[in-house]
Amino acid sequence: MWGYVLRRLLATVPVMGVVVLVVFLILRLTPGDPAAVIAGDYASAADIARIRSQLGLDRPLLEQFLTWLAQVLRGDLGTSIFTNLPVTTLIAQRLEPTLLLALTTITFSVLVAVPLGTLAAWRAGGLLDRCVMLFSVAGFSVPVFVLGYLLIYLFAMGLQLLPVQGYRSPFTDGLGPFLRHIALPTLTLGTVFVALIARMTRATVMDVLHEDHVRTARAKGQHELRVMTRHVLRNAAVPIVTVIGLGVALLIGGVVVTESVYNIPGLGRLVLDAVLKRDYPIIQGLIILFSFVYILINLVIDLVYTLFDPRIRY
Amino acid sequence: MTVAPASFRSVLEVRGLTVRLPERADRRFAIEDVSFEVAAGEIVCVVGESGSGKSVTAYTVMGLLPRGLVPVAGEVLLEGANLLARPAAELRRLRGRRMAMIFQEPMTALNPVLTVGAQIEEVLEIHTTLNAAERRARVIAAMREVALPEPEQLYHAYPHQLSGGQRQRVMIAMALILEPALLVADEPTTALDVTTQAQILALIRDLQRRHGTAVLFITHDFGVVAEIADRVVVMQHGRVVEQGPVREILFRPRHPYTRMLIAAVPGLTPPERPPVSKPPALVVRGLSKVFEERGWFGIRRRVEALRSASFAVRHGETVGVVGESGSGKSTLARCIVRLLEPTSGEVEVAGHRFGAGTRRIDRRLRRDVQIVFQDPYRSLNPRRTVGQSIIEGPMNFGVPKAEALARARSLLRIVRMDPDCLDRYPHQFSGGQRQRLCIARALALEPKVLIADEAVSALDVSVQAQVLELLDEVKRRFDLALLFITHDLRVAATICDRILVMRQGEVVEEGPTREVFATPRHPYTRALLDAAPGKGVIFGAASSACG
């Protein structure tokens, strides 16, 4: 098992290598002179030259790559062009809201979707099942920003239950304000996940319900609720966990929109700002970070399989 | 707890039970007016072919009918209480405590993600107030009683780490741990090898006697009936056609259906067969197959599935390959037709040699050797018509479509199917009909060698007899060499001229069928013959048809 973890971690090295190379080339393959783009419309030739040498763009491509690679390996993702702050510092400042939003979203989605999907499968074809499936289709189809403004209109402006925008840290402002502010973003971002996970849960649970060992459990006189939790859900866990893992990739896209709608100072906003201002070092740093997180999550998912299914051993 | 008064003779009494099928089914009732009793300490076998309603009867008793099937009339009395009138919660309290069930497939009937110990213990968790230590002790004791080795260690094992026989022992331990009054067994040995089957039957018999359990035993196999039953209930199309003591049913069956069922069971005494002296059509020389699982650092696991098999099958001869699961008989078949690449050795068909290691498979082999598989439900493409499936092979070898179709029509007549079947799809046929279609498909290529890999194992006995007869007939008609792979000694005795006995990838005995059955030389062959269920009863009234 630990040998497997080590091998998988080693295997991330070439993957990250490809990521780093692609990220490097993005900057160099941008049409036109990136220095000119960065310098803006009113820059003089001297300004552009200064930016060129600051970015190291006047040196050979290979040398540029190696220099940059050495920096990245030391944990130095470069310096933001506009704020002149190290990219790592900027990321660290923005990490907390995004991590917590991701956490509340995943928790909320799993807590809602798994029971919902299971119930739908248990009473397949019934009214509840059809409602869940209808919601699921709707959840997929409504764009995050539409849903976001809809929820704000309803809960913040109409019912005046929750704040419209903003973020409060649970560490400095307390848990209550944090939850009140994170509720709508979580609901917005979570809807598509609930739809996705509920669908997968329903399909998998329906398959497992037809398996012989479920009949055995009933033949023992086991209560239906315990049959579902102990026998059915554990057997359905692997595909469900897979979808949750894949969903994290979706989350990255969703975070950008959600944080903009609710004005949350997180990584998503950082991405947006950096893209709008063409702050290449930040974009590079964030892509590398997101890729690495994604690879790690996949490893964790693979390891979680072994918790649910003893037949999976590495 | 409901304690049965001593005056109750019957543990289970089924009276006039009728179960309705969902609308649009091919008949109205799954079972109709079924009545029988099971007394304490008695084993009652319910026998019938697929669709007879024997399983529905068992599931109705347990209250485990799938949605859509509804009991509409009659009573199911367990120790005097009518189960059909009880609320679900009370039935749940009875299941596992007063009545328990074991199933056909010991692999799928156990939860793959829980340890077997935990699964047995679950019964105690549901129905008793014992503490964890007491439960554990009871589980270990129950595992010991069903003769599971090293119960303390096996407690923590998962189902996939156990053999089929061990899994069925776990199921039995689970079912009997609370000493229920009634045990319902649904084909509990059908998925097991003969030697394992004999052990499990002996175990059920032994435990049932010791605890005085009433057993309702569902089976399709009259060999098993002869082995274990006290009384027999014969079912056909959802109705009980005959019931009585086992000797009565086996030796003086009154209903024609019972007579037909018993007559269709092949005998264990092979008929006299003259040796075949024609030239060999299939010669196998030193055929071996090694499976290797490669890890990061060299070979992790190495299984010799087939060890240097050598034999010949003559034109017009049927050679049987018998053995238990894992003996390598299917690997042998797959290596001959090159669905698997053999590791070494060669196959000679009609004078052409096909050695191991040639990457490109000679098309002549694909034409001259054909195979019929076990499961007729899965070996025909469900999205293609029967006609398309049959003519595909000949057309691949350049036969014009019109000619291939004409050939398909005549083949359908030979396998006794209506030639108009060509435009229909596989799901429109029964299992026996589909196996006929598979045979027609194989014959369409005019092969020299036909391999039947457990081709009749999934069929009901009456259908089995017909398909065996058909195989024998086409063998004569086309002068085929027939390699007949089976785990069933009775079937082998009926159809084979010669027999190969395989064990752990090796051919351990070979000879004319009569000789092997009368004077087996290898101890494994003797063990196989001893384990055949119902060997004390002479079956085989109908087997002369293929003689």
Side-chain angles (χ1 to χ4, degrees):
Chain A
M1 171 90 169
W2 291 112
Y4 173 78
V5 174
L6 191 72
R7 279 202 306 271
R8 282 288 299 264
L9 283 174
L10 284 178
T12 61
V13 172
V15 179
M16 284 313 292
V18 172
V19 171
V20 167
L21 184 67
V22 169
V23 167
F24 171 80
L25 289 175
I26 284 174
L27 186 67
R28 273 68 194 175
L29 296 176
T30 313
D33 188 347
V37 176
I38 289 165
D41 294 342
Y42 305 108
S44 64
D47 288 338
I48 293 172
R50 185 176 51 76
I51 292 170
R52 283 181 66 87
S53 75
Q54 186 191 334
L55 290 175
L57 291 173
D58 46 357
R59 269 164 279 160
L61 208 59
L62 187 67
E63 193 191 321
Q64 288 180 38
F65 179 65
L66 291 178
T67 319
W68 184 66
L69 189 64
Q71 269 182 19
V72 171
L73 286 179
R74 282 198 308 271
D76 176 5
L77 293 173
T79 309
S80 159
I81 293 167
F82 288 91
T83 61
N84 255 324
L85 287 166
V87 172
T88 42
T89 311
L90 284 170
I91 289 177
Q93 283 173 358
R94 306 287 194 106
L95 205 55
E96 183 202 300
T98 303
L99 269 185
L100 289 178
L101 177 59
L103 201 71
T104 53
T105 304
I106 291 288
T107 313
F108 164 76
S109 311
V110 171
L111 286 182
V112 172
V114 172
L116 216 56
T118 310
L119 272 173
W122 190 50
R123 285 277 168 260
L127 184 67
L128 181 79
D129 180 29
R130 272 175 287 169
C131 288
V132 170
M133 285 299 100
L134 191 73
F135 164 78
S136 178
V137 173
F140 271 129
S141 334
V142 179
V144 174
F145 67 92
V146 172
L147 185 68
Y149 288 124
L150 210 69
L151 288 173
I152 290 174
Y153 182 76
L154 216 73
F155 288 97
M157 294 165 72
L159 298 170
Q160 307 227 325
L161 285 173
L162 296 164
V164 176
Q165 281 190 328
Y167 173 79
R168 298 289 181 274
S169 165
F171 307 108
T172 54
D173 305 309
L175 199 62
F178 164 72
L179 287 177
R180 278 170 51 78
H181 281 83
I182 207 84
L184 285 184
T186 301
L187 208 58
T188 309
L189 191 53
T191 301
V192 69
F193 281 102
V194 173
L196 184 74
I197 299 171
R199 263 199 109 94
M200 195 64 193
T201 306
R202 176 181 179 270
T204 321
V205 166
M206 271 172 75
D207 282 350
V208 177
L209 272 174
H210 288 121
E211 282 173 17
D212 290 350
H213 63 81
V214 176
R215 193 179 56 192
T216 307
R218 288 181 178 145
K220 286 182 204 174
Q222 186 58 279
H223 197 275
E224 199 60 21
L225 184 70
R226 294 274 290 156
V227 171
M228 293 310 278
T229 51
R230 183 166 187 185
H231 293 278
V232 176
L233 272 181
R234 266 206 66 179
N235 274 281
V238 167
I240 297 172
V241 169
T242 309
V243 163
I244 294 172
L246 288 173
V248 174
L250 241 74
L251 197 67
I252 294 167
V255 157
V256 175
V257 182
T258 312
E259 289 186 353
S260 305
V261 170
Y262 290 98
N263 199 18
I264 296 171
L267 288 178
R269 281 290 302 281
L270 187 63
V271 171
L272 196 67
D273 293 345
V275 169
L276 291 176
K277 290 181 186 158
R278 303 212 170 126
D279 200 333
Y280 285 99
I282 297 183
I283 298 173
Q284 286 178 335
L286 286 170
I287 292 175
I288 289 174
L289 176 75
F290 287 148
S291 312
F292 190 62
V293 167
Y294 191 57
I295 290 170
L296 274 189
I297 283 170
N298 270 301
L299 175 62
V300 170
I301 295 291
D302 281 353
L303 295 179
V304 166
Y305 289 162
T306 62
L307 291 181
F308 289 109
D309 196 333
R311 288 165 297 182
I312 300 174
R313 283 284 170 268
Y314 303 114
Chain B
M1 281 181 70
T2 34
V3 179
S7 62
F8 273 117
R9 201 182 63 83
S10 300
V11 170
L12 176 71
E13 209 177 327
V14 176
R15 283 193 208 141
L17 183 63
T18 300
V19 174
R20 199 182 59 212
L21 281 169
E23 302 198 8
R24 287 181 312 194
D26 58 342
R27 60 181 199 230
R28 267 188 77 198
F29 299 110
I31 55 174
E32 215 176 334
D33 198 21
V34 168
S35 303
F36 60 88
E37 291 175 21
V38 189
E42 185 186 43
I43 299 182
V44 172
C45 277
V46 178
V47 202
E49 297 187 293
S50 42
S52 64
K54 55 189 194 301
S55 287
V56 171
T57 308
Y59 287 113
T60 314
V61 170
M62 288 298 291
L64 291 174
L65 280 177
R67 228 181 288 167
L69 294 182
V70 193
V72 286
E75 293 180 314
V76 175
L77 304 172
L78 179 72
E79 301 181 301
N82 184 9
L83 298 180
L84 296 184
R86 303 285 150 157
E90 199 180 324
L91 273 181
R92 216 159 43 223
R93 278 195 294 279
L94 290 173
R95 282 201 291 267
R97 196 164 59 79
R98 297 311 294 159
M99 56 180 181
M101 188 160 186
I102 51 180
F103 303 92
Q104 174 169 353
E105 280 286 344
M107 177 72 241
T108 55
L110 289 169
N111 189 334
V113 303
L114 296 177
T115 63
V116 294
Q119 293 189 60
I120 302 174
E121 199 177 322
E122 197 180 356
V123 182
L124 300 177
E125 279 166 28
I126 300 165
H127 298 289
T128 71
T129 52
L130 300 175
N131 67 36
E134 289 166 336
R135 286 201 303 260
R136 219 186 124 85
R138 280 281 291 271
V139 171
I140 302 283
M143 289 172 82
R144 192 163 283 132
E145 192 173 12
V146 295
L148 280 164
E150 300 177 21
E152 283 86 0
Q153 276 85 57
L154 222 56
Y155 182 97
H156 301 287
Y158 288 96
H160 70 276
Q161 296 165 323
L162 273 56
S163 71
Q166 285 177 332
R167 282 183 218 133
Q168 203 56 298
R169 282 171 197 274
V170 169
M171 283 298 299
I172 293 170
M174 193 191 292
L176 295 183
I177 192 164
L178 286 175
E179 304 205 7
L182 174 71
L183 175 68
V184 180
D186 183 17
E187 305 255 11
T189 59
T190 305
L192 303 174
D193 282 327
V194 268
T195 50
T196 316
Q197 166 168 288
Q199 290 163 10
I200 295 291
L201 287 178
L203 177 70
I204 293 176
R205 195 56 160 154
D206 177 47
L207 290 174
Q208 174 264 344
R209 281 199 184 131
R210 223 183 300 161
H211 299 285
T213 320
V215 179
L216 179 64
F217 196 107
I218 312 294
T219 184
H220 69 284
D221 186 341
F222 258 101
V224 171
V225 172
E227 204 69 29
I228 201 169
D230 294 314
R231 284 193 308 116
V232 183
V233 176
V234 184
M235 289 185 72
Q236 184 192 19
H237 304 319
R239 288 173 169 276
V240 173
V241 296
E242 182 167 4
Q243 56 179 310
V246 65
R247 306 241 118 217
E248 203 75 2
I249 298 286
L250 280 179
F251 298 114
R252 281 180 297 281
R254 287 187 312 266
H255 195 277
Y257 179 69
T258 316
R259 279 191 219 129
M260 187 278 287
L261 275 185
I262 294 174
V265 179
L268 266 176
T269 353
E272 189 76 61
R273 284 163 180 276
V276 179
S277 52
K278 289 184 182 158
L282 170 73
V283 184
V284 174
R285 293 190 195 94
L287 205 60
S288 299
K289 176 70 189 174
V290 180
F291 289 102
E292 282 172 353
E293 202 176 295
R294 281 171 201 282
W296 280 52
F297 310 100
I299 294 159
R300 253 196 293 178
R301 229 159 67 94
R302 200 182 133 90
V303 180
E304 285 185 66
L306 185 62
R307 298 179 198 192
S308 192
S310 298
F311 60 91
V313 187
R314 295 167 188 280
H315 280 285
E317 187 183 37
T318 304
V319 172
V321 181
V322 298
E324 298 187 298
S325 49
S327 64
K329 50 192 198 305
S330 279
T331 306
L332 173 68
R334 284 171 167 69
C335 281
I336 293 173
V337 292
R338 286 297 175 92
L339 292 174
L340 276 178
E341 184 60 32
T343 312
S344 61
E346 68 167 18
V347 171
E348 187 182 316
V349 179
H352 295 288
R353 294 171 165 219
F354 307 97
T358 38
R359 279 212 158 263
R360 229 178 76 82
I361 287 143
D362 200 309
R363 277 165 63 84
R364 273 176 309 204
L365 182 78
R366 284 274 181 265
R367 189 189 58 208
D368 289 346
V369 184
Q370 284 298 309
I371 186 163
V372 177
F373 295 99
Q374 171 169 3
D375 194 340
Y377 287 89
R378 288 187 301 188
S379 45
L380 286 167
N381 186 336
R383 306 242 185 280
R384 311 196 77 192
T385 64
V386 166
Q388 285 172 328
S389 285
I390 295 178
I391 64 171
E392 185 180 4
M395 283 176 64
N396 285 345
F397 283 91
V399 177
K401 189 171 179 184
E403 195 187 322
L405 271 173
R407 194 191 287 174
R409 287 178 167 279
S410 79
L411 279 169
L412 283 184
R413 267 190 291 273
I414 289 170
V415 299
R416 283 185 218 97
M417 300 278 293
D418 187 350
D420 294 335
C421 294
L422 284 179
D423 298 324
R424 291 162 66 186
Y425 288 90
H427 71 265
Q428 295 170 292
F429 299 94
S430 71
Q433 288 174 322
R434 273 186 238 195
Q435 205 58 301
R436 287 168 190 278
L437 295 172
C438 287
I439 293 170
R441 188 211 54 78
L443 293 176
L445 280 158
E446 302 179 337
K448 309 230 171 17
V449 178
L450 184 64
I451 297 178
D453 187 2
E454 300 276 10
V456 298
S457 302
L459 305 175
D460 282 327
V461 271
S462 56
V463 182
Q464 193 175 55
Q466 294 161 13
V467 173
L468 282 175
E469 217 171 302
L470 175 66
L471 278 171
D472 207 54
E473 185 191 318
V474 297
K475 178 197 78 177
R476 283 157 205 274
R477 188 172 186 137
F478 298 102
D479 205 22
L480 293 172
L482 180 58
L483 189 66
F484 193 88
I485 289 160
T486 183
H487 69 283
D488 189 334
L489 292 169
R490 294 179 179 280
V491 169
T494 314
I495 193 170
C496 301
D497 297 304
R498 283 190 305 122
I499 272 197
L500 308 174
V501 181
M502 288 194 71
R503 188 194 181 201
Q504 291 171 4
E506 228 169 331
V507 176
V508 295
E509 181 155 2
E510 182 185 355
T513 309
R514 244 182 118 80
E515 235 168 72
V516 173
F517 274 69
T519 52
R521 290 191 309 273
H522 196 277
Y524 179 66
T525 315
R526 272 196 292 269
L528 273 184
L529 285 166
D530 277 343
K535 61 183 178 303
V537 184
I538 314 290
F539 286 109
S543 61
S544 55
C546 305

